[in-house]
Amino acid sequence: MSKFFINHPIPALVLSIILMLVGTLTALRLPIAEYPDIAPPTVFVSTSYVGADASVVNNTVAQIIEDAVNGAGDIEFMHSTVDTGGNYELSIVFKQGTDIDTAAVRVQNKISAVLSDLPAQVQSQGVTVNKNTPESVFMFDLISPKGSHDGVFMKNYATAYFLDKINRVDGVGKVTSYDGDYSMRIWLNPDKLAELGLAISDVEAAIKEQNVQAAVGSLGKMPVNSLQ
């Protein structure tokens, strides 16, 4: 058969064109099948304990959350990390075929049940549960071409104008910015605190008391009768 087509190139060329046309028509009529998921469904949990070292976070946060989440069901394995800044991250990998929405709800319910056992600062920070992995898929830089603005300004600009829009894009699990927010760092003099009989919690409470946004009223409004 091969010798015939070698000695007769025209029939071979015609047959090749026919096969190409039939293949093209067949490909257009074939149904589109859904491919199975390759990456297993993963739920990502994160929180922070400001001022605590890695050992304290592990004992007071990580163990409580992981003991509770361990009973969520259909879990293949878990992996957690704790850094010296008090940040805690937990990746929960579920069995292939597990519905990711159902898995996230189960994890959230387990964490809600033990939320009162966590330190007060962790409760105020909140525990975030996301249906995504900690690995980055896409990264981009936001820069000031002439260097007129620093990284903190650019991060605040991104948060105010387009990070929320990116979060609403279909398929985006989480958007993370890696620069700092506007903040104030306070160094305390332990000798002065001891002299005044104060603890760190007293200074923290005083700062929180003064950190308020007071309502200043409105301008250009009609005067109101004092009897009303």
Side-chain angles (χ1 to χ4, degrees):
M1 182 67 69
S2 60
K3 186 177 180 180
F4 172 81
F5 287 109
I6 293 174
N7 295 330
H8 303 82
I10 295 178
L13 181 60
V14 173
L15 184 60
S16 298
I17 294 175
I18 294 175
L19 290 176
M20 184 183 66
L21 294 175
V22 172
T24 303
L25 294 175
T26 305
L28 295 175
R29 292 179 174 271
L30 285 176
I32 299 176
E34 292 185 1
Y35 290 96
D37 294 330
I38 298 176
T42 305
V43 176
F44 185 61
V45 180
S46 62
T47 187
S48 61
Y49 190 177
V50 179
D53 58 14
S55 177
V56 173
V57 176
N58 180 65
N59 295 330
T60 61
V61 178
Q63 292 185 8
I64 295 175
I65 292 178
E66 291 171 17
D67 288 343
V69 171
N70 196 38
D74 297 330
I75 296 177
E76 285 283 358
F77 63 90
M78 297 188 300
H79 173 71
S80 63
T81 57
V82 179
D83 60 22
T84 56
N87 298 311
Y88 169 71
E89 298 177 347
L90 172 65
S91 296
I92 310 166
V93 180
F94 288 84
K95 295 180 180 179
Q96 193 70 44
T98 304
D99 183 73
I100 187 63
D101 294 320
T102 303
V105 170
R106 291 206 302 263
V107 171
Q108 183 68 64
N109 291 339
K110 292 292 184 179
I111 294 176
S112 298
V114 298
L115 192 61
S116 59
D117 298 333
L118 299 176
Q121 290 189 9
V122 177
Q123 296 182 36
S124 62
Q125 290 284 340
V127 180
T128 305
V129 178
N130 291 313
K131 299 177 291 185
N132 66 285
T133 60
E135 290 78 14
S136 299
V137 177
F138 178 76
M139 299 182 67
F140 67 91
D141 294 329
L142 184 64
I143 62 174
S144 178
K146 298 182 180 180
S148 57
H149 302 293
D150 58 6
V152 177
F153 178 90
M154 300 305 293
K155 195 259 182 176
N156 185 69
Y157 181 87
T159 302
Y161 288 99
F162 60 83
L163 286 186
D164 288 340
K165 296 180 180 179
I166 298 176
N167 269 317
R168 291 194 292 268
V169 175
D170 188 22
V172 175
K174 180 182 179 182
V175 178
T176 304
S177 56
Y178 292 97
D179 215 320
D181 293 313
Y182 287 111
S183 60
M184 179 176 60
R185 179 172 294 180
I186 301 173
W187 285 267
L188 302 178
N189 188 334
D191 296 333
K192 193 68 174 179
L193 289 176
E195 180 182 346
L196 297 174
L198 298 175
I200 296 177
S201 58
D202 299 325
V203 178
E204 183 181 2
I207 294 174
K208 288 182 177 179
E209 182 181 357
Q210 297 297 321
N211 185 25
V212 295
Q213 185 69 37
V216 296
S218 57
L219 299 176
K221 297 293 184 180
M222 294 296 293
V224 180
N225 192 329
S226 59
L227 298 178
Q228 293 181 351

